[in-house]
Amino acid sequence: MRTLLTALAVSVLSPTLAHPPVTEKLGPSQAVAHQRGPEIFNAVHNAMRQWGSSLHHNGMSFFLATVPEGVLFHHGNSREESPTDPDWLAYEIEHAEGFARGGRRGPGRGPPPRKYKPWENLQLGLTNKESRQHIIDNGSSPGPRDGEPGWLHVYRTTRPLRFLYVDGMGGGKTSLGTLDSQDYLLRGQRTSTEEEPGAKRVVGGGPMGERQRAVDLCKLCENWQLQGVIRMEAGFEIIKCNFSDGLEQIQVLQRPDSGNNGPPRRGALGNLELLRGLSERYHDIGSTRTIVDYSSMVSVFFFPVNLTNPDPKRPDLPRLSSTSDAELAAIKTYLTAVIEERRGAPLSGLDWQDITDIIVSRYADRLKFMAEKVDSVETMRDEIRFLLDVFIDYSGKEKDPGIPAAVERCTNFYLRSVTPATKADRLIYTALESVTSQICSTLFRLRELLVTNPNPDESSVAASVDALRSLMDSLKWTRFKRCPPCAIDEVCLIPMWPFGTVEEYNTPRCTNGSDTRSGENYWGDFRGGPDGPHDSRGP
Ligand SMILES: *[C@@H]1O[C@H](CO)[C@@H](O)[C@H](O)[C@H]1NC(C)=O
Ligand SMILES: *[C@@H]1O[C@H](CO)[C@@H](O)[C@H](O)[C@H]1NC(C)=O
Ligand SMILES: *[C@@H]1O[C@H](CO)[C@@H](O)[C@H](O)[C@H]1NC(C)=O
Ligand SMILES: *[C@@H]1O[C@H](CO)[C@@H](O)[C@H](O)[C@H]1NC(C)=O
């Protein structure tokens, strides 16, 4: 009530506000959600999943997410004490182990720069020798006390904690656009060199401005009454703003000297086991460790803004570089409103990801099979019949053509289990409906070509394959890129920052961690990213 009165008072006092500039009116749009149906579908489908978020790595969406009580997290650093500043929690042991080593910074002076040692033996395919030294630091570069044994901390959450989940590969420090939603939208920085006048840079920025980024994001989280930010690189992590709040340390142990028999960090087995750990999270973060509130989704895909990638070679990757500052600010304002509105709201029971899963599992492999393997009229016809019969009334009561009704049944089939409640729900509903409508209308067109057509022939099959391929291109489901089953000593490998090659992005493959494939690193110059090279060296 008070806000309403205030709003009325403001509009009376300043009539100019009655006609706000365009960007102040910028809001989410059902028409845009329909148009960007596949992107929104995939954002929901890939949330908190290492596989899909690695392939669709430019995240454009935010969700509130809750970590229940009693979840274990890991943190590696150079000292026995818990961090006192914002710092990182890893979901996986092997991710934190990589940071459990000494650095040149002493206790109380903040953490050492984050280094990516655990992946040193993986094929990084780096082309830039300098960036390799900056980030990979294989132990040969000078650094006082570098390599000294560090500490591995284990924490448990003492109550449910609420975070902002930034989707895609938000922990990937690249210039491909993985940081756009954090740096351009949340932090409002075109580049980190354009600092606000008077803004104080955090000493010891760490690789690629990570420390500054954490401090900035935590400032927002404090206003939003959130505990930090969930992101993903090669492994999911949390920027936890205050380690003393909601966490209990349950173990802290010093790591072995590099001379001692530690766990196999180097060599083939260490790589295999690291990859195995990551691949366990390809499809599920596991054990309900994080509950995403889909009804709080705020996606740039909901807004009528320009997401074109200025890099003409990657039209598939959305960017925020063509979006204006005013538009970004308006989306952030909308996000703030949603966060405030959902504060204290009970966890939504509406799991939109379940709906996307059941749609993908019904259609993905069958579409791919038809598009890539089927070349006979009979098989194609049987497959179409198999998929569509459930929607067709054969009683003869329905007037022929009852097909429009059947297409509609097909389109709405899986959506009938949900009742949208929030604005986000209605936008997601529209997006999913736009996807099922594409699938269903394509399949019914194929039915005309192959089932109702009295003389289907080779050309009907060819036309069907074309239609299926363009449907798959539009859906962009990451399931289409799945590896064949790998042997027990192998793991399906896709690029996860900071490793992986361009070829592995295009064709994920089974690997034992030592059959390295040379090639161009997928993520490009390691010094890239909106932060540029100036602080990539760390303290
Ligand atoms: C570290 O990398 C440098 C340069 O790439 C190489 O010459 C050196 O042998 C490596 N050292 C170790 C311990 O792997
Ligand atoms: C961190 O959380 C603890 C426990 O709630 C609180 O006492 C402390 O003031 C917090 N620290 C900061 C810097 O907000
Ligand atoms: C969107 O951005 C791209 C890349 O910056 C630009 O070429 C294009 O003209 C923009 N489109 C519109 C409609 O402004
Ligand atoms: C890994 O795979 C490669 C290629 O298949 C093979 O040559 C190599 O011996 C394997 N290494 C291990 C440790 O199994």
Side-chain angles (χ1 to χ4, degrees), residues 179-392:
L179 293 167
D180 282 8
S181 65
Q182 288 166 79
D183 288 356
Y184 295 166
L185 200 153
L186 296 179
R187 302 170 73 202
Q189 287 184 317
R190 280 288 151 191
T191 70
S192 73
T193 45
E194 285 172 29
E195 278 164 44
E196 285 171 48
K200 269 210 265 171
R201 261 207 98 69
V202 172
V203 183
M208 289 148 301
E210 270 287 85
R211 181 136 295 279
Q212 181 72 50
R213 188 172 291 112
V215 166
D216 292 350
L217 294 176
C218 280
K219 213 174 288 166
L220 286 173
C221 285
E222 196 184 329
N223 294 337
W224 288 336
Q225 297 176 34
L226 299 175
Q227 292 280 328
V229 173
I230 302 177
R231 310 185 306 180
M232 191 202 80
E233 48 181 38
F236 275 89
E237 64 185 18
I238 290 180
I239 297 174
K240 180 73 171 74
C241 298
N242 181 351
F243 268 55
S244 316
D245 193 7
L247 290 183
E248 169 191 10
Q249 187 171 63
I250 56 167
Q251 177 178 307
V252 52
L253 298 173
Q254 192 165 24
R255 298 301 78 218
D257 271 330
S258 33
N260 287 359
N261 287 332
R265 295 275 176 73
R266 290 163 185 273
L269 187 59
N271 290 345
L272 174 65
E273 294 311 335
L274 173 68
L275 289 176
R276 211 196 285 279
L278 295 170
S279 71
E280 284 294 325
R281 304 299 159 224
Y282 277 165
H283 306 298
D284 185 8
I285 193 66
S287 307
T288 326
R289 290 191 291 178
T290 300
I291 300 154
V292 175
D293 176 14
Y294 293 96
S295 303
S296 71
M297 181 181 192
V298 173
S299 178
V300 182
F301 293 132
F302 295 161
F303 293 83
V305 294
N306 188 351
L307 301 180
T308 310
N309 192 343
D311 177 358
K313 282 187 245 131
R314 295 306 300 269
D316 55 315
L317 296 178
R319 293 295 314 257
L320 295 179
S321 38
S322 306
T323 313
S324 76
D325 289 350
E327 287 167 337
L328 291 170
I331 297 170
K332 184 173 164 184
T333 303
Y334 181 81
L335 173 65
T336 302
V338 169
I339 291 170
E340 280 167 9
E341 193 184 298
R342 301 291 298 165
R343 185 174 302 138
L347 276 181
S348 165
L350 228 178
D351 190 338
W352 285 103
Q353 194 174 52
D354 274 358
I355 312 278
T356 65
D357 283 350
I358 210 144
I359 294 169
V360 168
S361 61
R362 170 88 180 165
Y363 293 109
D365 288 1
R366 289 166 179 142
L367 293 177
K368 192 169 172 177
F369 170 62
M370 286 190 282
E372 293 181 359
K373 289 270 193 297
V374 176
D375 51 13
S376 82
V377 170
E378 289 71 30
T379 313
M380 193 67 102
R381 189 172 52 200
D382 289 350
E383 195 71 28
I384 304 279
R385 277 207 147 114
F386 172 83
L387 279 172
L388 298 185
D389 266 0
V390 61
F391 308 116
I392 296 168

Side-chain angles (χ1 to χ4, degrees), residues 268 489-490 512 514-515:
D489 61 347
E490 288 182 336
N512 62 17
S514 61
D515 58 333

Side-chain angles (χ1 to χ4, degrees), residues 475-515:
L475 297 176
K476 293 190 186 68
W477 288 349
T478 55
R479 166 95 168 241
F480 294 143
K481 275 204 178 181
R482 190 157 85 154
C483 283
C486 300
I488 192 68
D489 61 347
E490 288 182 336
V491 166
C492 178
L493 178 65
I494 41 162
M496 292 171 273
W497 190 86
F499 61 79
T501 65
V502 172
E503 207 181 335
E504 284 156 353
Y505 184 88
N506 296 325
T507 316
R509 66 184 178 109
C510 296
T511 175
N512 62 17
S514 61
D515 58 333

Side-chain angles (χ1 to χ4, degrees), residues 370-432:
M370 286 190 282
E372 293 181 359
K373 289 270 193 297
V374 176
D375 51 13
S376 82
V377 170
E378 289 71 30
T379 313
M380 193 67 102
R381 189 172 52 200
D382 289 350
E383 195 71 28
I384 304 279
R385 277 207 147 114
F386 172 83
L387 279 172
L388 298 185
D389 266 0
V390 61
F391 308 116
I392 296 168
D393 181 2
Y394 288 100
S395 70
K397 284 185 206 132
E398 197 167 30
K399 269 188 252 112
D400 196 50
I403 295 308
V407 176
E408 201 182 310
R409 261 179 233 126
C410 172
T411 300
N412 294 320
F413 194 77
Y414 292 107
L415 291 165
R416 296 173 84 163
S417 60
V418 286
T419 312
T422 66
K423 199 161 186 172
D425 290 335
R426 287 186 284 277
L427 291 156
I428 298 171
Y429 186 102
T430 299
L432 267 52

Side-chain angles (χ1 to χ4, degrees), residues 81-101:
E81 296 79 27
S82 280
T84 49
D85 288 328
D87 220 311
W88 286 261
L89 287 172
Y91 279 76
E92 311 311 328
I93 298 166
E94 49 273 55
H95 191 183
E97 274 176 336
F99 301 103
R101 62 190 66 241

Side-chain angles (χ1 to χ4, degrees), residues 34 62 68 131 410:
H34 176 83
F62 307 96
S131 51
C410 172

